[in-house]
Amino acid sequence: MADFILALIGIILLSPVFLIVALMIKIDSPNEKVLFIQTRTGLKNKPFQIFKFRSMRKSNQPGGARKHVYNWKNGVPDNFVFKSVLGNDLEVSPIGTFVRKFSLDELPQLFNVIRGEMSLVGPRPEIPEITEHYSGEQQMRLFVKPGVTGWAQVNGRSNMNHGQKMAYDSYYVKEFSLKLDIQIIGMTVKQVLTGKDAV
């Protein structure tokens, strides 16, 4: 209930930001949708549709989604870095670069919180193409709802490999508390305002 109320307050207070970002994206890419919708893995391995402001121009994949084939057999490798798969992405629009830097593309996920699919704080939801390869130990991060922000994000955002991210997420699941959530939210605000470690 607290997540629902806080997300609703956030949507109301940030409604001018929602409008401005949506207009910026539409002006930059008038023939494309403002929102990017993608399947992610949620609580107890249940898939859901995540909402983001579009930061990339239309790619060759349906809906702008990029598909990668992974052939891991013993869990996701610790040295895997998703950012390295994207490489130098020439399809990120100038507006997209800005909204990514300050995490404005994540704001629509407040509606995922309203729908009960996400929490404000928790492990960031991965795509099924990755979570289907999780080892038993790695599946621990699916024992709680995914979050708009998380312990791993405030300790490095995109600048960490999968092993480091799993370690932070495991810590969060084991040490979950209201105090930790408040700490993460405070660190998130500081990080967003500085644009530190954005992808």
Side-chain angles (χ1 to χ4, degrees):
M1 179 60 80
D3 273 340
F4 179 92
I5 294 173
L6 291 174
L8 183 60
I9 293 173
I11 291 171
I12 294 172
L13 294 179
L14 295 172
S15 56
V17 179
F18 275 83
L19 179 59
I20 291 171
V21 173
L23 287 174
M24 290 169 62
I25 294 172
K26 201 62 182 177
I27 291 172
D28 181 73
S29 306
N31 297 322
E32 297 180 22
K33 295 180 180 179
V34 169
L35 290 181
F36 172 70
I37 301 175
Q38 186 183 49
T39 301
R40 297 289 179 96
T41 303
L43 177 66
K44 297 180 180 178
N45 214 29
K46 183 179 179 180
F48 71 99
Q49 301 298 302
I50 197 172
F51 305 131
K52 301 183 71 172
F53 277 125
R54 180 176 292 281
S55 60
M56 295 173 59
R57 295 203 170 105
K58 190 173 182 181
S59 73
N60 295 327
Q61 297 290 347
R66 294 182 175 276
K67 300 294 183 180
H68 299 281
V69 178
Y70 304 104
N71 297 309
W72 304 311
K73 295 182 179 180
N74 299 306
V76 181
D78 284 347
N79 63 356
F80 172 70
V81 180
F82 186 71
K83 185 169 68 170
S84 67
V85 176
L86 295 179
N88 294 321
D89 198 337
L90 299 179
E91 294 183 347
V92 177
S93 66
I95 296 301
T97 300
F98 174 79
V99 300
R100 282 188 179 191
K101 180 175 178 62
F102 296 100
S103 299
L104 298 175
D105 56 325
E106 312 288 2
L107 287 180
Q109 287 159 43
L110 291 175
F111 288 99
N112 287 115
V113 176
I114 293 289
R115 287 157 56 109
E117 298 158 334
M118 296 179 65
S119 293
L120 291 176
V121 179
R124 288 292 296 158
E126 288 277 19
I127 57 176
E129 289 83 358
I130 291 178
T131 58
E132 68 182 11
H133 293 283
Y134 274 3
S135 65
E137 183 179 357
Q138 290 171 341
Q139 289 180 18
M140 177 183 289
R141 74 190 303 272
L142 303 178
F143 292 171
V144 297
K145 281 186 182 180
V148 178
T149 186
W151 188 232
Q153 282 59 51
V154 297
N155 282 284
R157 293 178 79 176
S158 60
N159 290 332
M160 64 173 61
N161 61 35
H162 191 266
Q164 293 169 318
K165 182 172 66 175
M166 291 300 302
Y168 282 116
D169 288 341
S170 178
Y171 174 87
Y172 175 80
V173 173
K174 293 176 180 178
E175 303 295 329
F176 168 78
S177 68
L178 178 59
K179 180 180 178 180
L180 181 57
D181 278 3
I182 293 173
Q183 179 183 353
I184 292 171
I185 290 173
M187 293 172 69
T188 298
V189 172
K190 180 179 179 180
Q191 197 172 58
V192 167
L193 291 176
T194 60
K196 183 181 177 182
D197 297 330
V199 61

